[in-house]
Amino acid sequence: MGVEVHDPRWLTVVPGAELVVGLDEVGECAADGHRVTVLIDLVPSTVLRLRDLATEAVGEGARKVRVRPHGVDRVDLVHAAVELNRVAEEDAVEVQFDVTSAALLRTDPAAFVRVDPLVVKRDGTVVPICAGLEAYALGTLGSLDDLLARWDPRPVRDLCEVALIRALADTGPLVSWYEHLTRTAAEMRAGC
């Protein structure tokens, strides 16, 4: 099961986790010797600056660029996909764009009804899949093994199934899966 942490101090508790930080933290974390993934929120105001933001992060030491869309339209998603392809090619850096193709949702829906990766937020709260699913939190990090032993992942799978139905109704070529998840979670009452 993959784990991402949003604060370097959690790397000692979860060895091998992916360190994911914002643009303002890339330089410091990279200087400390960490392999850094920068998380860039793609919102209407950053669409046209995406290439520059990614280049800046790579210049600061990011080894991976991850882009998470929020509230952008289909045209912006396609524009971002083209720009991120350029970033990957020109900067020789790994790129993760948190969208999926509508065709993949239809052909392999089981791949989206899952409970991982786990995300360790700055305060140590562990949530499944992505930030925004705090209602499905496993608890606060002490021992990851202890949290996993007590956790019932069924509500998360149920959330994924509802979000999948909504995502399949999306008519664009690219679908922001995490945005569908967080929007659906905000509308549903949940508990683990």
Side-chain angles (χ1 to χ4, degrees):
M1 181 174 289
V3 179
E4 70 180 52
V5 298
H6 290 244
D7 189 309
R9 66 188 164 142
W10 300 118
L11 289 171
T12 58
V13 180
V14 188
E18 179 179 10
L19 177 60
V20 180
V21 298
L23 277 168
D24 58 334
E25 300 171 279
V26 171
E28 179 182 342
C29 291
D32 289 342
H34 300 296
R35 184 186 189 288
V36 179
T37 296
V38 64
L39 179 61
I40 300 172
D41 286 324
L42 182 69
V43 295
S45 65
T46 60
V47 170
L48 296 178
R49 299 180 16 228
L50 180 59
R51 175 82 174 102
D52 293 336
L53 295 172
T55 300
E56 176 187 337
V58 171
E60 292 284 325
R63 307 255 280 330
K64 181 177 176 183
V65 175
R66 179 175 171 194
V67 176
R68 176 179 57 191
H70 293 285
V72 292
D73 63 23
R74 292 180 190 109
V75 173
D76 290 339
L77 288 177
V78 172
H79 172 80
V82 170
E83 288 299 307
L84 290 173
N85 188 52
R86 288 183 181 144
V87 168
E89 288 178 359
E90 294 172 12
D91 294 333
V93 66
E94 182 180 353
V95 171
Q96 177 181 333
F97 189 23
D98 287 347
V99 297
T100 189
S101 74
L104 185 58
L105 280 174
R106 287 179 183 83
T107 59
D108 191 11
F112 297 91
V113 181
R114 49 189 283 178
V115 297
D116 67 320
L118 296 178
V119 177
V120 181
K121 296 177 52 175
R122 289 193 167 287
D123 66 358
T125 302
V126 180
V127 298
I129 308 172
C130 63
L133 301 183
E134 286 72 15
Y136 298 87
L138 284 73
T140 302
L141 193 62
S143 161
L144 189 58
D145 291 336
D146 291 344
L147 284 177
L148 287 171
R150 295 189 313 259
W151 181 46
D152 177 7
R154 286 179 295 196
V156 177
R157 285 191 189 98
D158 294 344
L159 167 69
C160 290
E161 288 173 357
V162 173
L164 180 63
I165 292 167
R166 293 176 178 190
L168 288 170
D170 198 324
T171 59
L174 298 174
V175 177
S176 179
W177 174 241
Y178 294 132
E179 191 170 7
H180 275 285
L181 275 175
T182 56
R183 207 176 319 134
T184 302
E187 296 170 6
M188 291 177 63
R189 291 195 172 265
C192 295

